[in-house]
Amino acid sequence: MATFRDRSHAGRVLAAKLEQYAGRDDVLVLGLPRGGVPVAFEVAKALGAPLDVYIVRKLGVPGQEELALGAIASGGVRVFNDEVVRAVGVTRSEIEEIVAREQRELVRRERLYRGERPEPDVADRVVILVDDGLATGATMRAAVTALRQLGPKKLVVAVPTAPPETCEELASQVDEIVCAITPVPFYGVGLWYDEFPQTADQEVRDLLEEAARSRTRD
């Protein structure tokens, strides 16, 4: 059943479908941590583009954390689902408390992954947003909504595998979507990989540092 050996292999397959963006100085590749970063690393390397992370934190309803009030993301972006906010009757102070908690975690992760490197500027750039696969696509949709507010010239979502309906839904929200394979039935992202271990924080850091060193040498 598996199509990809591991995330690195999936990234190389995905990069071949993005070759029209190779060698351009306006392209930025962003990986969704953690599993999206090894895939994005291979894409960025093949395209000769810089690599960074884009961190999204869901804002869960108290006691129903799987239900999202909205999300916060890198770059100080906040996105709210007004229908959910109204339906659950969460107060402004409760929302701010949730935002503050998730903001602390977002900042912690950014420092952990990026260190002292500044956040990338996405304005007027072609941004390729990469994950290791999509199921419902909820986190990716939050990332897309957040990134739109930062003014990219073009927003491309690229993933190795996803159900066809998820790719179709996202297609209307971005300038381009690249799903390397769209199996039916889908079952789950991990089934399409021979090896699909959890990606460690240290691996994310190591890949970002290696990508930055490679850009410096070039």
Side-chain angles (χ1 to χ4, degrees):
M1 181 178 287
T3 298
F4 308 110
R5 290 192 299 275
D6 54 21
R7 290 182 177 89
S8 295
H9 175 228
R12 292 191 292 273
V13 172
L14 194 57
K17 297 181 178 297
L18 294 161
E19 59 185 5
Q20 70 268 33
Y21 297 106
R24 292 177 49 165
D25 59 8
D26 61 346
V27 172
L28 171 66
V29 177
L30 296 178
L32 291 183
R34 293 187 291 257
V37 176
V39 182
F41 176 83
E42 297 294 339
V43 171
K45 183 167 65 173
L47 302 184
L51 171 69
D52 213 313
V53 290
Y54 195 68
I55 301 171
V56 179
R57 298 292 298 172
K58 185 175 72 174
L59 304 175
V61 174
Q64 306 177 64
E65 275 69 21
E66 74 286 352
L67 182 60
L69 292 165
I72 60 172
S74 297
V77 175
R78 295 183 177 190
V79 178
F80 292 101
N81 186 326
D82 293 333
E83 289 183 10
V84 173
V85 171
R86 286 194 296 270
V88 300
V90 182
T91 66
R92 181 176 294 275
S93 63
E94 287 175 320
I95 290 174
E96 290 304 321
E97 184 178 328
I98 296 166
V99 169
R101 182 178 66 247
E102 294 300 336
Q103 183 67 35
R104 287 193 294 271
E105 178 61 17
L106 187 148
V107 169
R108 185 193 73 81
R109 291 191 179 207
E110 288 198 324
R111 287 176 178 163
L112 176 65
Y113 297 148
R114 191 178 289 119
E116 298 303 315
R117 293 190 301 276
E119 290 181 10
D121 184 5
V122 306
D124 296 320
R125 300 183 79 172
V126 175
V127 176
I128 302 176
L129 189 56
V130 178
D131 206 351
D132 55 10
L134 303 175
T136 65
T139 300
M140 183 64 81
R141 280 194 293 274
V144 165
T145 302
L147 270 170
R148 279 287 186 210
Q149 298 186 34
L150 300 177
K153 177 167 57 179
K154 184 176 184 178
L155 185 52
V156 181
V157 164
V159 294
T161 183
E165 61 272 19
T166 300
C167 290
E168 289 166 11
E169 289 170 9
L170 270 169
S172 63
Q173 301 174 37
V174 296
D175 299 299
E176 182 181 354
I177 185 162
V178 177
C179 299
I181 61 168
T182 53
V184 177
F186 182 72
Y187 296 124
V189 172
L191 288 176
W192 305 102
Y193 288 82
D194 286 326
E195 298 178 16
F196 196 67
Q198 186 174 25
T199 303
D201 286 333
Q202 189 59 50
E203 182 180 356
V204 172
R205 291 187 62 177
D206 291 346
L207 290 172
L208 290 172
E209 289 172 4
E210 184 177 342
R213 285 195 301 270
S214 176
R215 298 286 298 173
T216 301
R217 288 196 298 270
D218 293 345

